[in-house]
Short mmCIF file of all heavy atoms in Angstrom, two decimals:
data_model
loop_
_atom_site.label_atom_id
_atom_site.label_comp_id
_atom_site.label_asym_id
_atom_site.label_seq_id
_atom_site.Cartn_x
_atom_site.Cartn_y
_atom_site.Cartn_z
N LEU A 1 2.03 8.95 -18.52
CA LEU A 1 2.26 7.69 -17.95
C LEU A 1 3.69 7.16 -18.34
O LEU A 1 4.12 7.43 -19.44
CB LEU A 1 1.24 6.61 -18.55
CG LEU A 1 -0.23 6.92 -18.11
CD1 LEU A 1 -1.16 5.99 -18.79
CD2 LEU A 1 -0.42 6.98 -16.56
N LYS A 2 4.34 6.52 -17.41
CA LYS A 2 5.64 5.89 -17.82
C LYS A 2 5.36 4.33 -17.89
O LYS A 2 4.47 3.69 -17.30
CB LYS A 2 6.68 6.06 -16.55
CG LYS A 2 6.97 7.63 -16.42
CD LYS A 2 7.98 7.80 -15.40
CE LYS A 2 8.47 9.16 -15.19
NZ LYS A 2 9.35 9.32 -14.05
N ALA A 3 6.23 3.69 -18.75
CA ALA A 3 6.05 2.22 -18.88
C ALA A 3 6.36 1.52 -17.57
O ALA A 3 7.24 1.94 -16.84
CB ALA A 3 7.10 1.72 -20.05
N GLY A 4 5.52 0.53 -17.30
CA GLY A 4 5.74 -0.34 -16.15
C GLY A 4 5.35 0.35 -14.82
O GLY A 4 5.68 -0.07 -13.74
N ALA A 5 4.63 1.52 -14.90
CA ALA A 5 4.24 2.31 -13.66
C ALA A 5 2.74 2.45 -13.65
O ALA A 5 2.08 2.35 -14.60
CB ALA A 5 4.98 3.65 -13.64
N THR A 6 2.43 2.91 -12.47
CA THR A 6 0.99 3.25 -12.32
C THR A 6 0.79 4.82 -12.74
O THR A 6 1.76 5.46 -12.97
CB THR A 6 0.54 3.19 -10.82
OG1 THR A 6 1.35 4.14 -10.02
CG2 THR A 6 0.80 1.75 -10.29
N ILE A 7 -0.38 5.23 -12.60
CA ILE A 7 -0.68 6.68 -12.69
C ILE A 7 0.17 7.33 -11.47
O ILE A 7 0.05 6.78 -10.47
CB ILE A 7 -2.17 7.00 -12.58
CG1 ILE A 7 -2.85 6.58 -13.97
CG2 ILE A 7 -2.34 8.43 -12.27
CD1 ILE A 7 -4.31 6.94 -13.90
N PRO A 8 0.90 8.34 -11.82
CA PRO A 8 1.71 9.02 -10.74
C PRO A 8 0.82 9.28 -9.47
O PRO A 8 -0.20 9.84 -9.56
CB PRO A 8 2.20 10.24 -11.36
CG PRO A 8 2.29 10.01 -12.76
CD PRO A 8 1.11 9.05 -13.04
N PHE A 9 1.36 8.90 -8.39
CA PHE A 9 0.86 9.02 -7.01
C PHE A 9 -0.51 8.20 -6.77
O PHE A 9 -1.18 8.34 -5.81
CB PHE A 9 0.50 10.53 -6.69
CG PHE A 9 1.67 11.39 -6.61
CD1 PHE A 9 2.03 12.20 -7.66
CD2 PHE A 9 2.48 11.34 -5.57
CE1 PHE A 9 3.11 13.01 -7.51
CE2 PHE A 9 3.69 12.17 -5.45
CZ PHE A 9 3.91 13.01 -6.45
N ASP A 10 -0.81 7.21 -7.55
CA ASP A 10 -1.94 6.35 -7.43
C ASP A 10 -1.62 5.30 -6.34
O ASP A 10 -0.57 4.55 -6.49
CB ASP A 10 -2.28 5.62 -8.64
CG ASP A 10 -3.58 4.81 -8.63
OD1 ASP A 10 -4.54 5.42 -7.99
OD2 ASP A 10 -3.58 3.61 -8.92
N ARG A 11 -2.37 5.50 -5.26
CA ARG A 11 -2.15 4.53 -4.08
C ARG A 11 -0.61 4.52 -3.58
O ARG A 11 -0.05 3.49 -3.31
CB ARG A 11 -2.59 3.10 -4.44
CG ARG A 11 -4.06 2.99 -4.74
CD ARG A 11 -4.46 1.72 -5.38
NE ARG A 11 -5.88 1.60 -5.49
CZ ARG A 11 -6.64 1.98 -6.61
NH1 ARG A 11 -5.93 2.61 -7.59
NH2 ARG A 11 -7.89 1.78 -6.73
N ALA A 12 -0.03 5.78 -3.61
CA ALA A 12 1.32 5.91 -3.16
C ALA A 12 1.46 5.78 -1.64
O ALA A 12 2.53 5.62 -1.19
CB ALA A 12 1.86 7.20 -3.74
N TRP A 13 0.39 6.00 -0.96
CA TRP A 13 0.32 5.87 0.46
C TRP A 13 -0.80 4.85 0.94
O TRP A 13 -1.76 4.76 0.11
CB TRP A 13 0.11 7.25 1.13
CG TRP A 13 1.25 8.17 1.04
CD1 TRP A 13 2.31 8.42 1.92
CD2 TRP A 13 1.40 9.00 0.00
NE1 TRP A 13 3.19 9.30 1.37
CE2 TRP A 13 2.70 9.81 0.29
CE3 TRP A 13 0.79 9.46 -1.18
CZ2 TRP A 13 3.18 10.77 -0.49
CZ3 TRP A 13 1.23 10.46 -2.05
CH2 TRP A 13 2.46 11.09 -1.71
N ALA A 14 -0.59 4.31 2.04
CA ALA A 14 -1.58 3.42 2.67
C ALA A 14 -1.60 3.66 4.22
O ALA A 14 -0.58 4.17 4.76
CB ALA A 14 -1.38 1.98 2.42
N ILE A 15 -2.74 3.29 4.90
CA ILE A 15 -2.71 3.53 6.30
C ILE A 15 -2.68 2.14 6.98
O ILE A 15 -3.64 1.33 6.90
CB ILE A 15 -4.14 4.19 6.70
CG1 ILE A 15 -4.23 5.57 5.88
CG2 ILE A 15 -4.02 4.53 8.14
CD1 ILE A 15 -5.68 6.08 5.93
N GLU A 16 -1.55 1.71 7.60
CA GLU A 16 -1.41 0.55 8.30
C GLU A 16 -2.49 0.58 9.50
O GLU A 16 -2.50 1.53 10.28
CB GLU A 16 -0.07 0.40 8.87
CG GLU A 16 0.88 -0.11 7.89
CD GLU A 16 2.17 -0.56 8.33
OE1 GLU A 16 2.76 0.06 9.41
OE2 GLU A 16 2.84 -1.52 7.78
N ASN A 17 -3.15 -0.55 9.64
CA ASN A 17 -4.03 -0.70 10.83
C ASN A 17 -3.33 -1.41 11.92
O ASN A 17 -3.32 -2.54 12.09
CB ASN A 17 -5.21 -1.68 10.33
CG ASN A 17 -6.33 -1.66 11.38
OD1 ASN A 17 -6.14 -1.09 12.46
ND2 ASN A 17 -7.35 -2.28 10.98
N GLY A 18 -2.72 -0.47 12.81
CA GLY A 18 -1.93 -0.97 13.91
C GLY A 18 -0.59 -1.43 13.35
O GLY A 18 -0.21 -1.23 12.17
N PRO A 19 0.18 -2.12 14.30
CA PRO A 19 1.59 -2.48 13.85
C PRO A 19 1.53 -3.34 12.62
O PRO A 19 0.74 -4.27 12.49
CB PRO A 19 1.98 -3.39 15.01
CG PRO A 19 1.19 -2.82 16.24
CD PRO A 19 -0.20 -2.46 15.67
N GLY A 20 2.36 -3.07 11.63
CA GLY A 20 2.34 -3.74 10.32
C GLY A 20 3.71 -4.34 9.74
O GLY A 20 4.65 -4.14 10.52
N ARG A 21 3.57 -4.93 8.70
CA ARG A 21 4.73 -5.57 8.17
C ARG A 21 5.45 -4.86 7.08
O ARG A 21 6.40 -5.41 6.48
CB ARG A 21 4.31 -7.03 7.62
CG ARG A 21 3.83 -7.90 8.68
CD ARG A 21 3.51 -9.32 8.14
NE ARG A 21 2.21 -9.24 7.34
CZ ARG A 21 1.99 -9.82 6.16
NH1 ARG A 21 3.01 -10.59 5.58
NH2 ARG A 21 0.89 -9.81 5.56
N PHE A 22 4.89 -3.69 6.73
CA PHE A 22 5.43 -2.97 5.59
C PHE A 22 6.72 -2.38 5.97
O PHE A 22 6.88 -1.56 6.87
CB PHE A 22 4.40 -1.85 4.99
CG PHE A 22 4.99 -1.18 3.78
CD1 PHE A 22 4.93 -1.80 2.62
CD2 PHE A 22 5.53 0.08 3.91
CE1 PHE A 22 5.53 -1.17 1.45
CE2 PHE A 22 5.95 0.70 2.68
CZ PHE A 22 5.96 0.05 1.54
N ASP A 23 7.76 -2.56 5.13
CA ASP A 23 9.19 -2.01 5.29
C ASP A 23 9.41 -1.21 4.18
O ASP A 23 9.65 -1.63 3.06
CB ASP A 23 10.15 -3.19 5.27
CG ASP A 23 11.54 -2.72 5.59
OD1 ASP A 23 11.85 -1.53 5.63
OD2 ASP A 23 12.48 -3.60 5.73
N PRO A 24 9.43 0.25 4.42
CA PRO A 24 9.85 1.15 3.36
C PRO A 24 11.19 0.93 2.77
O PRO A 24 11.43 1.33 1.53
CB PRO A 24 9.70 2.49 4.02
CG PRO A 24 9.75 2.20 5.49
CD PRO A 24 9.26 0.89 5.67
N ASP A 25 12.13 0.30 3.37
CA ASP A 25 13.46 0.00 2.75
C ASP A 25 13.39 -1.15 1.94
O ASP A 25 14.44 -1.47 1.24
CB ASP A 25 14.45 -0.06 4.03
CG ASP A 25 14.59 1.24 4.70
OD1 ASP A 25 14.53 2.33 4.16
OD2 ASP A 25 14.73 1.13 5.99
N ALA A 26 12.46 -2.08 2.17
CA ALA A 26 12.39 -3.23 1.33
C ALA A 26 10.92 -3.48 1.00
O ALA A 26 10.24 -4.51 1.48
CB ALA A 26 12.92 -4.42 2.05
N PRO A 27 10.30 -2.59 0.26
CA PRO A 27 8.81 -2.80 0.06
C PRO A 27 8.34 -3.94 -0.78
O PRO A 27 9.01 -4.25 -1.74
CB PRO A 27 8.52 -1.39 -0.78
CG PRO A 27 9.81 -1.02 -1.48
CD PRO A 27 10.90 -1.44 -0.53
N LYS A 28 7.30 -4.54 -0.23
CA LYS A 28 6.78 -5.82 -0.88
C LYS A 28 5.21 -5.62 -0.91
O LYS A 28 4.73 -4.87 -0.08
CB LYS A 28 7.10 -7.01 -0.10
CG LYS A 28 8.58 -7.34 -0.18
CD LYS A 28 8.92 -8.61 0.56
CE LYS A 28 10.42 -8.96 0.49
NZ LYS A 28 10.67 -10.28 1.37
N HIS A 29 4.56 -6.21 -1.83
CA HIS A 29 3.27 -6.21 -1.91
C HIS A 29 2.67 -7.00 -0.71
O HIS A 29 3.11 -8.08 -0.45
CB HIS A 29 2.65 -6.90 -3.27
CG HIS A 29 1.23 -6.85 -3.38
ND1 HIS A 29 0.45 -7.99 -3.08
CD2 HIS A 29 0.34 -5.91 -3.63
CE1 HIS A 29 -0.82 -7.73 -3.32
NE2 HIS A 29 -0.97 -6.47 -3.58
N LEU A 30 1.63 -6.36 -0.02
CA LEU A 30 1.03 -7.14 1.12
C LEU A 30 -0.55 -7.14 0.83
O LEU A 30 -1.09 -6.21 0.14
CB LEU A 30 1.31 -6.23 2.22
CG LEU A 30 2.76 -6.14 2.97
CD1 LEU A 30 2.80 -5.17 4.05
CD2 LEU A 30 3.19 -7.55 3.26
N PRO A 31 -1.24 -8.04 1.42
CA PRO A 31 -2.69 -8.23 1.27
C PRO A 31 -3.31 -6.91 1.84
O PRO A 31 -2.85 -6.21 2.80
CB PRO A 31 -3.07 -9.38 1.99
CG PRO A 31 -1.94 -9.58 2.93
CD PRO A 31 -0.63 -9.14 2.24
N LYS A 32 -4.44 -6.48 1.30
CA LYS A 32 -5.03 -5.26 1.68
C LYS A 32 -5.53 -5.33 3.08
O LYS A 32 -5.76 -4.20 3.67
CB LYS A 32 -6.24 -4.96 0.66
CG LYS A 32 -7.27 -6.01 0.50
CD LYS A 32 -8.22 -5.67 -0.54
CE LYS A 32 -9.30 -6.80 -0.89
NZ LYS A 32 -10.04 -6.38 -2.05
N ILE A 33 -5.74 -6.46 3.67
CA ILE A 33 -6.20 -6.50 5.13
C ILE A 33 -5.07 -6.01 6.03
O ILE A 33 -5.41 -5.57 7.17
CB ILE A 33 -6.53 -8.05 5.43
CG1 ILE A 33 -5.38 -8.90 5.39
CG2 ILE A 33 -7.73 -8.53 4.71
CD1 ILE A 33 -5.54 -10.33 5.97
N ALA A 34 -3.94 -5.73 5.55
CA ALA A 34 -2.96 -5.07 6.37
C ALA A 34 -3.16 -3.54 6.61
O ALA A 34 -2.55 -2.97 7.49
CB ALA A 34 -1.52 -5.30 5.84
N PHE A 35 -4.10 -3.05 5.81
CA PHE A 35 -4.32 -1.61 5.80
C PHE A 35 -5.79 -1.29 6.04
O PHE A 35 -6.65 -2.10 5.93
CB PHE A 35 -3.80 -1.05 4.42
CG PHE A 35 -2.50 -1.46 4.11
CD1 PHE A 35 -2.33 -2.43 3.09
CD2 PHE A 35 -1.40 -0.86 4.68
CE1 PHE A 35 -0.91 -2.88 2.77
CE2 PHE A 35 0.00 -1.23 4.33
CZ PHE A 35 0.06 -2.28 3.39
N LEU A 36 -6.12 -0.12 6.31
CA LEU A 36 -7.43 0.38 6.35
C LEU A 36 -7.93 0.38 4.88
O LEU A 36 -7.32 0.91 4.01
CB LEU A 36 -7.59 1.88 6.95
CG LEU A 36 -7.45 1.92 8.46
CD1 LEU A 36 -7.46 3.36 8.85
CD2 LEU A 36 -8.36 1.04 9.26
N MET A 37 -9.18 -0.17 4.58
CA MET A 37 -9.60 -0.28 3.26
C MET A 37 -11.16 -0.41 3.27
O MET A 37 -11.70 -0.91 4.25
CB MET A 37 -8.95 -1.47 2.48
CG MET A 37 -8.72 -2.64 3.27
SD MET A 37 -10.15 -3.78 3.33
CE MET A 37 -9.57 -5.08 4.41
N LEU A 38 -11.81 -0.16 2.15
CA LEU A 38 -13.18 0.01 2.02
C LEU A 38 -13.92 -1.39 2.25
O LEU A 38 -15.09 -1.51 2.58
CB LEU A 38 -13.60 0.50 0.74
CG LEU A 38 -13.41 2.10 0.65
CD1 LEU A 38 -13.55 2.61 -0.78
CD2 LEU A 38 -14.25 2.83 1.54
N MET A 39 -13.16 -2.49 1.84
CA MET A 39 -13.83 -3.83 2.07
C MET A 39 -14.36 -4.06 3.42
O MET A 39 -15.42 -4.61 3.65
CB MET A 39 -12.80 -4.92 1.58
CG MET A 39 -13.46 -6.38 1.66
SD MET A 39 -12.40 -7.62 1.13
CE MET A 39 -11.40 -7.77 2.69
N ARG A 40 -13.59 -3.57 4.39
CA ARG A 40 -13.95 -3.74 5.77
C ARG A 40 -14.34 -2.46 6.50
O ARG A 40 -15.02 -2.44 7.49
CB ARG A 40 -12.79 -4.42 6.47
CG ARG A 40 -13.03 -4.78 7.96
CD ARG A 40 -11.85 -5.54 8.58
NE ARG A 40 -10.65 -4.73 8.32
CZ ARG A 40 -9.37 -5.23 8.28
NH1 ARG A 40 -9.21 -6.47 8.53
NH2 ARG A 40 -8.35 -4.41 8.25
#
C-alpha cells in the first residue's frame, strides 16, 4: 500500500450507464448512480 492511495487497481474502472459525465482528463468523484452498480 502507498500513503493516500487505495489498494492498487481497486475500483480502477467503472461502467458508465449510457452517456456520462466522467472526464478522464479531469477526473472527479461522481455519485454511484452514474455507473452500473449493485444497489440497482
Side-chain angles (χ1 to χ4, degrees):
L1 300 175
K2 295 180 179 179
T6 64
I7 285 179
F9 294 106
D10 186 48
R11 297 167 174 90
W13 290 269
I15 308 165
E16 280 190 325
N17 187 353
R21 294 180 289 143
F22 184 76
D23 181 356
D25 295 322
K28 294 180 181 179
H29 179 261
L30 293 174
K32 58 188 172 184
I33 58 171
F35 310 102
L36 290 178
M37 41 84 184
L38 287 170
M39 184 179 79
R40 184 178 54 203

